[in-house]
Amino acid sequence: MTTIGQSVFNLDLNDLVEEAFERAGLELRTGYDMRTARRSLNLLTIEWANRGINLWTIEQGQIPMVTGQASYPFPTDTIDLLDQVIRTNNGTSNQIDINITRISESTYSTLPNKLAQGRPIQVWINRQTGQSNPTTAVLTANVASTDTTIDVSDATVLASNGFINLETETIYYANVSGNQLINCARAQNGTTATSHVATTTVYTNNLPSINVWPTPNSPGSQYMFVYWRLRRLQDAGTGVTEQDIPFRFLPCMVAGLAYYIAMKKPEVDPSRVMALKALYEEQFQLAADEDREKASIRFVPREMFY
């Protein structure tokens, strides 16, 4: 006998939800059943992010450094950065990756001169929500696409430095002087620098970002911040889409969704709920043990003398 010759089995959203309902001893009948299951599935993937590192969500990125600029945004679906280096001579045969030390907010806050220039050697990762909110401040003068100073009606409602949105453009400002935002870096976070008219509302933008120290003394052609990030899993979707997981996590996702659904259904026997929970924990542990780094680890003691 011959085998089928392919290994492509997967579950789309409908099949996954139906399997979970059957494990809970229920039937998928109504549109609300699908909606509540999709909501539970999104919460389940967020729980996985809190449990640890999911290797298939690691992505590499890079940010060109700008002379004198301390803060740089990274994608809003970023959970955290795992590793980071400063790359010199990017794209050439003699490029070099140099370690940059991650520091805490308290350490960064005690740096006396945050705008000192040099090769960046320390980075604070500011894990913000990525949400944008309107303020009571508006532009008091037109802003051209090349302007680096922006006049606003009330700068006291803004932080001393950070990111703002003017319509579709994201802008980083390094300082505030009176009601002026100065040393602005235009077209941040993949947006395009455009002109804006007076009375445009100023939005704060709580972007996840890095703050490097010292600030670069050369542009991105000399220094490139290269990072490996842990991103969020994609949302559950609305129909026949497959989930943003490798095949080995399918049993775990089905078991977890069955447990989540059973918790919400009063007709499910409590003993069955506990059995589903135990099965989910077992399946997650099996998947997590397989989804791990398998490279050798070497520990070298570091001696220090006074």
Side-chain angles (χ1 to χ4, degrees):
M1 296 182 63
T2 59
T3 63
I4 194 172
Q6 60 182 16
S7 304
V8 296
F9 173 77
N10 208 328
L11 294 176
D12 61 34
L13 179 62
N14 292 328
D15 287 339
L16 194 151
V17 171
E18 188 173 24
E19 177 70 16
F21 265 82
E22 290 173 354
R23 290 196 183 193
L26 304 168
E27 290 185 11
L28 178 63
R29 294 180 176 178
T30 67
Y32 179 77
D33 286 342
M34 176 60 74
R35 190 173 73 177
T36 190
R38 189 166 62 246
R39 184 170 63 243
S40 292
L41 193 57
N42 284 323
L43 291 171
L44 179 67
T45 57
I46 294 173
E47 179 204 322
W48 287 7
N50 290 333
R51 283 181 179 243
I53 297 173
N54 300 313
L55 291 184
W56 73 92
T57 63
I58 297 175
E59 293 181 350
Q60 183 181 350
Q62 57 185 31
I63 303 172
M65 301 275 97
V66 178
T67 302
Q69 183 174 334
S71 186
Y72 303 83
F74 49 81
T76 55
D77 65 343
T78 302
I79 297 173
D80 201 357
L81 299 191
L82 300 179
D83 291 290
Q84 54 280 323
V85 296
I86 290 292
R87 178 169 293 168
T88 62
N89 304 311
N90 182 58
T92 66
S93 59
N94 61 337
Q95 73 176 26
I96 300 174
D97 288 351
I98 305 172
N99 181 55
I100 181 169
T101 303
R102 181 171 179 170
I103 59 176
S104 66
E105 177 275 330
S106 59
T107 301
Y108 183 78
S109 66
T110 58
L111 295 173
N113 183 1
K114 295 178 177 58
L115 296 180
Q117 293 191 10
R119 176 175 61 81
I121 60 173
Q122 294 180 321
V123 59
W124 165 47
I125 299 171
N126 189 0
R127 299 172 63 187
Q128 292 295 311
T129 62
Q131 294 176 337
S132 182
N133 301 299
T135 70
T136 56
V138 297
L139 297 182
T140 57
N142 293 343
V143 177
S145 60
T146 56
D147 286 346
T148 58
T149 298
I150 297 174
D151 296 300
V152 299
S153 59
D154 183 10
T156 62
V157 299
L158 302 172
S160 59
N161 61 75
F163 296 93
I164 60 169
N165 272 15
L166 296 179
E167 298 172 298
T168 59
E169 182 186 359
T170 300
I171 301 169
Y172 170 72
Y173 62 98
N175 305 95
V176 174
S177 176
N179 284 328
Q180 287 188 323
L181 310 181
I182 60 178
N183 298 323
C184 296
R186 307 294 298 274
Q188 299 290 292
N189 202 32
T191 59
T192 302
T194 58
S195 58
H196 309 279
V197 299
T199 72
T200 298
T201 299
V202 179
Y203 285 74
T204 59
N205 201 341
N206 302 312
L207 289 170
S209 59
I210 57 169
N211 286 62
V212 296
W213 186 88
T215 63
N217 60 356
S218 295
S221 57
Q222 173 67 25
Y223 297 134
M224 183 77 71
F225 184 85
V226 182
Y227 61 86
W228 288 261
R229 73 184 183 110
L230 194 65
R231 64 164 175 83
R232 286 182 55 175
L233 270 69
Q234 297 175 16
D235 295 341
T238 58
V240 297
T241 53
E242 296 174 352
Q243 301 312 296
D244 180 27
I245 62 170
F247 75 94
R248 58 186 179 273
F249 266 79
L250 279 174
C252 174
M253 178 166 277
V254 170
L257 184 57
Y259 167 56
Y260 271 44
I261 290 171
M263 283 196 297
K264 297 194 288 187
K265 297 290 186 178
E267 62 267 33
V268 178
D269 187 272
S271 61
R272 185 167 194 151
V273 175
M274 296 308 297
L276 289 171
K277 182 178 187 241
L279 178 60
Y280 167 48
E281 294 294 343
E282 177 186 346
Q283 290 294 335
F284 184 88
Q285 193 60 51
L286 287 172
D289 287 346
E290 198 284 334
D291 190 64
R292 59 183 172 82
E293 187 63 72
K294 297 179 174 64
S296 300
I297 299 178
R298 181 186 181 195
F299 295 94
V300 179
R302 181 179 180 184
E303 298 182 3
M304 301 184 69
F305 302 92
Y306 293 91

